[in-house]
Amino acid sequence: MYQIIFSDVDGTLLNSSHVVTPKTKEAIQNLEVPFVIVSARSPSGIYPILKDNDLHCAIIAYSGALILDEDGQVLFHQGIQKSKAQEIIDFIEPLDCSWCAYSMDEWIVKDKNDPRIINEENIVKAYAMQGNIDDFKDDQINKILCICNQSQTNIIEKKLKEKFPQYAIVKSSNILIEIMHQGINKATAIERLCDIWHIDINSTLAFGDNYNDYEMLKACGKGILMGNAPDDLKKVFDDITLDNDHDGIYEALKSK
């Protein structure tokens, strides 16, 4: 019925221990159609998941700013110019958050000893480089990430959107805010990949759990929300599976 299946990573493909459950792994490996990971993570934060679960597939990284095929070849790449990214960093600096910047597969932070950065490294199983925007090899910054004090996330998100309405700014968890080039989101990336592979978007299925998955779930032929999603998203979607700790993807695919 579906020609391709897309899945978010954190809170969706991975459980709360940041691993793929055996049943979910089995369901994906038994698919007869392409499976594509769609994540706000960098490639180096996605590839360990593929390796650990014997998966060989295309990936959409940085919420759509970078698309790589199953062999790691770049299909699409768009970012914010360094000078503009620096303006965003300068605005973020006084706020109660830690910033990360990403370009292709480079990850730069201000302070590698920041506990929030160390925690992020442990989650994604990748390592940042301490430095600044000028240290990037490429002139385009695919994503800027704010790791916030939870009590300040909504406030920081509001300030960023007011100051920089020209960028795509979205909250991806209760402590994370993503900043990308205008028009970048998971939905536009899926549409772009479907065009490249000549797949009808109405024949697509997607799984997601958070606000940065909203457009993707709405754009696909069928969008399935995880049971661990925020309550306000559950009011918007009819198709809701079990949570990521109870094989939500497996249970949904079992009935397809």
Side-chain angles (χ1 to χ4, degrees), residues 76-191:
F76 175 78
H77 164 48
Q78 186 168 37
I80 301 167
Q81 288 185 344
K82 281 183 179 178
S83 59
K84 300 297 182 182
Q86 187 61 57
E87 291 178 9
I88 298 171
I89 297 298
D90 291 341
F91 181 80
I92 291 171
E93 285 281 2
L95 304 178
D96 190 3
C97 66
S98 302
W99 62 263
C100 304
Y102 305 82
S103 177
M104 296 301 287
D105 208 17
E106 290 185 285
W107 174 14
I108 289 178
V109 299
K110 180 181 180 180
D111 179 10
K112 272 184 65 69
N113 296 316
D114 185 325
R116 291 187 274 208
I117 301 301
I118 294 171
N119 182 61
E120 182 70 8
E121 288 180 325
N122 290 335
I123 289 172
V124 302
K125 298 180 182 178
Y127 299 97
M129 179 178 72
Q130 186 167 302
N132 55 58
I133 294 297
D134 288 334
D135 293 326
F136 281 113
K137 297 172 186 174
D138 198 279
D139 189 50
Q140 293 190 48
I141 310 305
N142 291 121
K143 185 184 79 170
I144 296 171
L145 173 69
C146 300
I147 307 177
C148 310
N149 177 328
Q150 185 172 337
S151 66
Q152 295 295 303
T153 305
N154 290 340
I155 296 170
I156 293 172
E157 180 189 23
K158 183 174 184 291
K159 288 181 177 180
L160 284 167
K161 286 183 173 180
E162 288 175 349
K163 178 66 175 179
F164 302 106
Q166 69 271 38
Y167 299 116
I169 300 172
V170 62
K171 183 171 72 172
S172 56
S173 83
N174 58 10
I175 63 167
L176 301 178
I177 300 170
E178 320 275 346
I179 306 167
M180 285 85 61
H181 190 278
Q182 185 179 39
I184 293 295
N185 60 54
K186 294 182 178 183
T188 55
I190 283 175
E191 290 166 357

Side-chain angles (χ1 to χ4, degrees), residues 3-6 36 60 67 75 186-205 219-221:
Q3 293 183 299
I4 190 168
I5 294 175
F6 297 95
V36 177
I60 294 173
I67 304 176
L75 299 179
K186 294 182 178 183
T188 55
I190 283 175
E191 290 166 357
R192 187 168 281 112
L193 185 59
C194 284
D195 284 343
I196 293 171
W197 285 354
H198 307 293
I199 293 173
D200 182 356
I201 191 101
N202 294 314
S203 298
T204 63
L205 171 66
C220 284

Side-chain angles (χ1 to χ4, degrees), residues 219-239:
C220 284
K222 189 175 191 65
I224 298 180
L225 189 70
M226 301 297 290
N228 47 290
D231 289 339
D232 50 346
L233 284 181
K234 291 180 181 178
K235 295 175 184 177
V236 180
F237 292 93
D238 296 324
D239 293 299

